[in-house]
Amino acid sequence: MSVADSAIDTAAIAYARALLRTPRRRQKMLPVLLAAAFAAAAAVSFATVMVLAPPLTTQHLPKERLGD
């Protein structure tokens, strides 16, 4: 018996396999791009604040300079 004489319909088998295959969901790119843009904007704004903020000094003044 040759392959052409087979009782199995290859088109029907392919159709059944396609029906049984789980559908693949595509991921939407807009939420990913918005999250990346938010992270980049937050990083740039925090870096700007760190550069422009005055330096933090915790040095105490001696009593002679206080005038007591």
Side-chain angles (χ1 to χ4, degrees):
M1 182 181 223
S2 68
V3 178
D5 295 337
S6 176
I8 299 173
D9 187 11
T10 56
I13 294 295
Y15 180 70
R17 285 184 180 158
L19 288 177
L20 292 174
R21 190 177 310 132
T22 57
R24 293 181 18 183
R25 292 177 40 200
R26 290 184 43 167
Q27 184 171 357
K28 297 178 183 170
M29 288 303 294
L30 184 63
V32 176
L33 290 176
L34 288 177
F38 175 74
V44 168
S45 64
F46 286 140
T48 304
V49 167
M50 289 300 293
V51 168
L52 296 178
L56 180 64
T57 57
T58 57
Q59 183 180 7
H60 298 287
L61 293 174
K63 288 194 177 229
E64 304 87 43
R65 296 211 41 213
L66 289 175
D68 288 337

